[in-house]
Amino acid sequence: MEEFIKSFMKTITCCDLETGDFPGPIVTISRQSGCSAQRIAIKLSKILTGYSYMSDTKTDAEWKWVDKNIFKDVVDDIIEEVKKGNYDDADEAIKMLHQVAKAFSNETIYEISDESLIETFKGVVCRLACKGRTIIVGRSAGIILKDIPNKLNVRLEAPMEWRINRIMQLRDFSQAEAVRYVKEMDEKRDSFIERIIGRKANNEDFDVIFNYASLQDDEIIDAMVNILKNKNIIAQHEEY
């Protein structure tokens, strides 16, 4: 297993400071429980794809938000590379990649504590970043990709009371059930970040933080698009 991990993380590198070869563009959206990041990601992907198709070069212009199917596709590609490689621990590595894909799809990724699985997951996230024009919701992707320049890390937050009320409405929970759900989900996500970087996340880990309780989805999306333009994250690859 150690052989595969070392080789895997060496070949799937987030950035090369010597050559200036960086992945992206990529957007990550972190959120507290009760903040709906998925629908923002879906709409943002369509809007950014529209901007891309306004350019002269329309090849590979589609932006995609990473659902379980896209994540699995990337894992499957890596598995094919493992099969073609000369790894003594190939079978164990493939099993581990399948575990990561399954954990991503059902959100049990936050419960992973095995160091090898965490390193493999980080490598898959880096591979997603290398593909570019990608939006990743949650899974601590913003923390993993924090140091690459060609990205926008967004955080959605809201007051606890507002989030509890929203979960009560969305899931038809009692107040006690909603309180327990919000606290448990926040704790799981925060604990996973600690396992990845050895500390709690703070405001400096994100480029922008939105108060989801006081803003509409479209307002957040408009702000994100403008930030991407102003930081030349979009225009770096196409002329709009």
Side-chain angles (χ1 to χ4, degrees), residues 29-38 40 107 110 137-139 154-164 166-167 170-171 178 181-190 193 201 203 206 209-213:
I29 307 176
S30 171
R31 80 285 193 208
Q32 291 181 319
S33 180
C35 300
S36 300
Q38 179 174 314
I40 288 178
E107 292 206 0
Y110 299 115
V137 173
R139 275 71 169 191
V154 173
R155 173 78 167 168
L156 304 179
E157 297 185 352
M160 175 66 79
E161 184 178 355
W162 184 92
R163 294 190 289 128
I164 290 170
R166 191 160 192 270
I167 291 297
L170 292 176
R171 295 179 173 267
Y181 176 86
V182 168
K183 289 183 176 180
E184 286 180 355
M185 288 304 299
D186 285 349
E187 184 178 345
K188 279 185 181 180
R189 292 165 180 167
D190 291 344
I193 289 174
N203 290 351
F206 307 100
I209 300 174
F210 292 105
N211 182 352
Y212 194 79

Side-chain angles (χ1 to χ4, degrees), residues 5-231:
I5 289 292
K6 287 182 177 179
S7 177
F8 181 64
M9 294 306 293
K10 182 178 179 181
T11 56
I12 304 178
T13 306
C14 278
C15 56
D16 189 329
L17 297 177
E18 293 183 0
T19 64
D21 183 19
F22 299 110
I26 188 166
V27 175
T28 70
I29 307 176
S30 171
R31 80 285 193 208
Q32 291 181 319
S33 180
C35 300
S36 300
Q38 179 174 314
R39 63 189 191 191
I40 288 178
I42 293 172
K43 188 167 185 177
L44 180 66
S45 67
K46 294 177 180 179
I47 291 173
L48 294 181
T49 296
Y51 274 103
S52 296
Y53 278 106
M54 291 171 60
S55 65
D56 293 334
T57 304
K58 299 178 177 58
T59 305
D60 296 326
E62 183 180 6
W63 279 73
K64 295 182 178 180
W65 77 279
V66 178
D67 59 9
K68 61 183 179 181
N69 294 322
I70 290 178
F71 190 90
K72 183 179 182 301
D73 288 343
V74 171
V75 169
D76 288 343
D77 289 343
I78 297 171
I79 288 174
E80 288 303 311
E81 293 175 20
V82 173
K83 289 179 179 178
K84 295 176 183 177
N86 186 24
Y87 298 107
D88 293 334
D89 55 357
D91 289 341
E92 189 176 357
I94 291 170
K95 180 180 178 181
M96 184 169 59
L97 284 161
H98 281 307
Q99 284 182 273
V100 167
K102 183 178 180 181
F104 181 94
S105 67
N106 60 21
E107 292 206 0
T108 56
I109 194 72
Y110 299 115
E111 300 170 9
I112 286 178
S113 58
D114 182 83
E115 186 176 343
S116 295
L117 285 174
I118 289 176
E119 288 301 307
T120 301
F121 173 69
K122 288 163 65 176
V124 177
V125 170
C126 287
R127 174 64 66 87
L128 284 163
C130 290
K131 292 174 71 69
R133 298 187 180 91
T134 301
I135 302 167
I136 305 178
V137 173
R139 275 71 169 191
S140 302
I143 298 296
I144 295 170
L145 302 173
K146 178 178 180 294
D147 293 327
I148 69 170
N150 199 23
K151 61 93 181 69
L152 177 66
N153 282 350
V154 173
R155 173 78 167 168
L156 304 179
E157 297 185 352
M160 175 66 79
E161 184 178 355
W162 184 92
R163 294 190 289 128
I164 290 170
N165 289 333
R166 191 160 192 270
I167 291 297
M168 289 172 63
Q169 295 173 1
L170 292 176
R171 295 179 173 267
D172 195 25
F173 280 177
S174 67
Q175 185 177 42
E177 290 173 327
V179 169
R180 184 167 56 253
Y181 176 86
V182 168
K183 289 183 176 180
E184 286 180 355
M185 288 304 299
D186 285 349
E187 184 178 345
K188 279 185 181 180
R189 292 165 180 167
D190 291 344
S191 295
F192 188 61
I193 289 174
E194 283 195 69
R195 290 196 291 275
I196 288 177
I197 60 176
R199 61 170 175 80
K200 294 183 181 295
N202 55 51
N203 290 351
E204 294 178 359
D205 293 314
F206 307 100
D207 298 307
V208 59
I209 300 174
F210 292 105
N211 182 352
Y212 194 79
S214 64
L215 294 168
Q216 299 294 320
D217 286 0
D218 286 347
E219 293 172 328
I220 294 173
I221 292 168
D222 287 346
M224 290 171 67
V225 170
N226 285 327
I227 293 171
L228 287 166
K229 287 181 182 178
N230 292 334
K231 288 174 67 69

